[in-house]
Amino acid sequence: MRHLVDKCLNGLLPARCRSCGCALEHGPLCAACSHDLPWNDGACRRCALPLAAGDTCPQCLQRPPHFDSAWAAFRLETPVQHFIHALKYHADFAQAHVLGELMAVRLNLRPAPLPQLLIPVPLHGRRLVRRGYNQAHEIARVIATRCGIENAPHAAARLRATEDQIGQSAAARRRNMRNAFALRIDLTGMRVALVDDVMTTGATLDALARVCRTAGAAHVEAWAAARTP
């Protein structure tokens, strides 16, 4: 119902920048606001950790993740942090369109071929019922439409109601995510991208990438709207 209301309002009202409110011809943000966003350029190629220069961080050299590469569009800073919190905790689905469309613009410009399938990081059933939606799926839905990639929101399942990872160390996050996911489809030979709203240490995406490998995926990327430092 919320999606239907947003669609009707967007058709009736003139397009406005979601950040400053100025009139728009296209896109969710005006050129000035888009330029001023905390784009995560120059990040680690394996885990998207913000770096002064794009390279592979020491942690990934020592302990490579199960995904081949990672990309986070933004650093988790204002106003992107506000966009994500509004989506995640207040069901502001308009922010999924902002994030998804901005991510899709960058993805459509990349020289490498896009993956064949998007797999949003799943929520455990109890959390999904409590929240009513999966924010990762909302973002992936927009990217899939704008980039012409198949979205598979039910391809993965979260087997355990894992503890909240806020404040946990990287090692604790890895332990928390051990055996947390299962795949419901065969990925033999496929190129897939895992989608989440925020990437902190990468433990969640790494655990999901591991089961994608077991399911036969040939190439696995990890995508997130934002990356913490």
Side-chain angles (χ1 to χ4, degrees), residues 43-162:
C44 172
R45 290 171 290 188
R46 290 302 300 268
C47 73
L49 180 72
L51 298 174
D55 205 343
T56 304
C57 72
Q59 177 65 28
C60 287
L61 289 173
Q62 181 180 359
R63 184 190 175 92
H66 288 88
F67 42 79
D68 295 283
S69 64
W71 174 72
F74 306 102
R75 302 183 302 277
L76 189 61
E77 299 173 4
T78 304
V80 171
Q81 187 170 28
H82 166 74
F83 298 161
I84 291 173
H85 282 195
L87 168 62
K88 191 170 184 175
Y89 301 115
H90 303 290
D92 187 350
F93 296 109
Q95 305 303 341
H97 286 276
V98 172
L99 295 165
E101 288 185 18
L102 290 170
M103 292 171 73
V105 169
R106 286 288 181 102
L107 288 166
N108 280 323
L109 292 174
R110 78 180 207 170
L114 291 169
Q116 300 163 279
L117 191 71
L118 299 185
I119 301 178
V121 173
L123 296 178
H124 187 265
R126 287 200 295 271
R127 182 168 292 182
L128 182 59
V129 169
R130 199 161 55 240
R131 183 171 294 170
Y133 61 95
N134 178 356
Q135 70 279 359
H137 169 50
E138 298 301 326
I139 295 170
R141 184 208 306 265
V142 179
I143 296 173
T145 300
R146 298 294 185 267
C147 295
I149 308 172
E150 182 182 353
N151 185 29
H154 306 298
R158 191 178 290 239
L159 303 178
R160 296 187 293 104
T162 52

Side-chain angles (χ1 to χ4, degrees), residues 20-21 23 30 33 35 75-77 87 119 143 146 161 177 189 194-195 199 202 215 228:
C20 72
C30 68
C33 287
H35 180 270
R75 302 183 302 277
L76 189 61
E77 299 173 4
L87 168 62
I119 301 178
I143 296 173
R146 298 294 185 267
M177 298 309 302
L194 314 178
V195 182
M199 185 175 183
T228 60

Side-chain angles (χ1 to χ4, degrees), residues 8-16:
C8 291
L9 289 175
N10 288 338
L12 294 171
L13 300 175
R16 297 283 177 181

Side-chain angles (χ1 to χ4, degrees), residues 122 155-159 179-184 208 211:
R158 191 178 290 239
L159 303 178
N179 300 319
F181 298 109
L183 262 291
R184 294 169 168 156
L208 184 53
V211 297

Side-chain angles (χ1 to χ4, degrees), residues 201-225:
T201 65
T204 299
L205 288 159
D206 187 54
L208 184 53
R210 181 196 289 263
V211 297
C212 287
R213 294 289 193 197
T214 302
H219 184 85
V220 182
E221 299 183 30
W223 295 353

